[in-house]
């Protein structure tokens, strides 16, 4: 199968009304929605580094798109179009079929259209560039947190890292492994937070590390988290003692759950909960169960 047959066979797929020309021309043509700003993001996933070499092709397709959609969610954007740059060691039709099935399962569920891309030969890697839209001026930024704001998360954090650990121990099932294989981007939440959240980010490096990005972008603020507010006993963190659950929640990564700051008087959307408060004193502290504030390191996952 040549490159063009491969693209036609696996990557020509139904597209939304805003696509004038998708795969097949020199470049794609799209119509941006009137009165909106475009939001662009890109993420590259290398086999063996960002996903395990033995992960099912359908999960690779799903996950690589999900991490891009999570960035759009964190900006409050509605997903519209994406480009796919695929580097393949060989043409493995069974793999491509699985990959496309997982990719388009999530694309169709979220209304994003594949409009073009690139295929090259080399070590397996998947790079996706996704574009979304927000009503002009309403994107959620990292920079708007205010002293006194509630610090909230859009769900239970920690399952991404726990799922990876379970995977590395040979487990292929369970809630945490599923969360790791197929993280669910919080698109509806991001859009619902437009106009109310003062800052937002999606948790990829760990809660404390990503909170640090908000605090830095918001002018060098600090935070006091409350250990008693971290939920215990979630089915996502089964079989972990309380100490491990809290560590996963604060330091884990790959969660793709939204972390946001908001006026503490606001009623939170369902599934969200408060974990702390923005303070003027820089640094992140944890109010432990004895009521003593202990400093937390900002260290999460860093590539360099
Ligand atoms: P060019 O040689 O002009 O760069 P390509 O041969 O790379 O173009 O691609 C031909 C067409 O197929 C383009 O419209 C491109 O966007 C599309 N395409 C290439 N790879 C992919 C892919 N992985 N998924 C979707 N469309 C793709
Ligand atoms: Mg061309």
């Amino acid at each position: 199968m040549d490159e063009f047959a491969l693209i036609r066979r696996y990557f020509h797929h139904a597209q939304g009304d805003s696509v004038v020309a998708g795969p097949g021309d020199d470049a794609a043509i799209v119509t941006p929605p009137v009165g909106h700003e475009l939001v662009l993001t890109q993420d590259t996933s290398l086999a063996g580094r960002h996903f395990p070499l033995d992960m099912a092709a359908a999960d690779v397709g799903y996950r690589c798109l999900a991490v891009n959609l999570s960035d759009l969610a964190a900006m409050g954007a509605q997903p519209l179009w994406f480009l796919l740059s695929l580097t393949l060691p060989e043409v493995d039709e069974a793999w491509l079929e699985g990959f496309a099935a997982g990719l388009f399962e999530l694309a169709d569920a979220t209304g994003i259209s594949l409009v073009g891309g690139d295929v090259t030969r080399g070590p397996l890697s998947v790079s996706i560039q996704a574009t979304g839209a927000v009503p002009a001026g309403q994107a959620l930024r990292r920079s708007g947190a205010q002293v006194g704001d509630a610090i909230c998360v859009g769900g239970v954090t920690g399952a991404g890292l726990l799922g990876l650990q379970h995977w590395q121990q040979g487990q292929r099932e369970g809630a945490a492994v599923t969360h790791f294989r197929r993280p669910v981007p919080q698109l509806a939440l991001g859009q619902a937070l437009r106009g109310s959240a003062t800052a937002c980010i999606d948790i990829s490096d760990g809660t404390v590390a990503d909170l640090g990005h908000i605090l830095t972008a918001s002018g060098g603020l600090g935070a006091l988290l409350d250990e008693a507010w971290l939920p215990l006993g979630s089915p996502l963190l089964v079989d972990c003692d309380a100490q491990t659950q809290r560590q996963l929640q604060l330091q884990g990564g790959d969660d793709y759950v939204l972390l946001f700051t908001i006026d503490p008087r606001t009623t939170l959307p369902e599934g969200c909960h408060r974990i702390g408060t923005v303070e003027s004193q820089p640094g992140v502290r944890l109010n432990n169960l004895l009521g003593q504030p202990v400093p937390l390191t900002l260290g999460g996952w860093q590539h360099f």
Side-chain angles (χ1 to χ4, degrees):
M1 187 172 6
D2 72 18
E3 179 191 334
F4 300 104
L6 184 158
I7 294 164
R8 256 195 321 277
R9 169 112 163 241
Y10 297 107
F11 299 116
H12 282 206
H13 190 81
Q15 289 151 0
D17 295 339
S18 63
V19 181
V20 179
D25 212 313
D26 290 305
I29 309 172
V30 295
T31 312
V34 174
H36 285 63
E37 287 166 341
L38 297 181
V39 177
L40 291 81
T41 183
Q42 176 153 29
D43 252 294
T44 298
S45 300
L46 299 178
R49 174 165 310 195
H50 300 102
F51 59 87
L53 292 166
D54 57 345
M55 184 178 256
D59 291 338
V60 175
Y62 186 103
R63 192 174 196 283
C64 293
L65 181 58
V67 301
N68 278 274
L69 290 172
S70 183
D71 280 326
L72 294 182
M75 302 299 289
Q78 175 203 347
L80 290 174
W81 319 295
F82 71 105
L83 297 162
L84 167 67
S85 181
L86 200 54
T87 305
L88 300 168
E90 62 191 337
V91 176
D92 175 339
E93 297 195 24
W95 192 90
L96 278 162
E97 195 143 325
F99 176 83
L103 180 82
F104 289 121
E105 182 183 331
L106 182 60
D108 292 346
T110 55
I112 193 166
S113 302
L114 177 60
V115 294
D118 197 18
V119 180
T120 50
R121 187 184 286 268
L124 180 60
S125 94
V126 183
S127 189
I128 288 178
Q129 185 276 323
T131 300
V134 286
Q138 288 188 36
L140 301 175
R141 308 288 304 269
R142 295 180 177 185
S143 52
Q146 308 277 335
V147 172
D149 278 352
I151 298 167
C152 305
V153 285
V156 173
T157 61
L161 178 58
L162 182 64
L164 171 63
Q165 289 171 349
H166 284 175
W167 182 281
Q168 288 167 341
Q169 291 156 8
Q171 280 190 49
R172 294 295 176 264
E173 274 164 39
V177 169
T178 301
H179 184 91
F180 168 68
R181 289 166 44 226
R182 294 192 171 220
V184 179
Q186 296 196 295
L187 289 159
L189 176 60
Q191 290 168 46
L193 290 172
R194 291 198 300 239
S196 63
T198 51
C200 187
I201 191 169
D202 70 315
I203 300 175
S204 53
D205 296 337
T207 301
V208 176
D210 285 315
L211 174 58
H213 295 311
I214 286 183
L215 298 171
T216 302
S218 298
L221 301 177
L224 181 62
L225 303 182
D226 206 307
E227 189 166 2
W229 292 351
L230 299 174
L232 290 180
S234 160
L236 279 172
L237 303 179
V238 280
D239 300 334
C240 294
D241 57 48
Q243 166 85 4
T244 308
Q245 288 190 40
R246 294 202 156 109
Q247 197 151 3
L248 286 165
Q249 287 171 346
L250 293 172
Q251 315 279 0
D254 280 346
D255 286 312
Y256 305 105
V257 163
L258 297 186
L259 171 69
F260 57 94
T261 56
I262 196 165
D263 185 314
R265 291 162 296 189
T266 313
T267 306
L268 295 180
E270 210 189 313
C272 298
H273 60 266
R274 182 175 182 177
I275 60 168
T277 307
V278 178
E279 297 188 331
S280 57
Q281 184 195 340
V284 179
R285 294 157 292 280
L286 179 71
N287 210 3
N288 69 17
L289 296 175
L290 303 172
Q292 298 155 334
V294 290
L296 290 174
T297 60
L298 291 181
W301 174 257
Q302 285 189 1
H303 294 276
F304 299 104

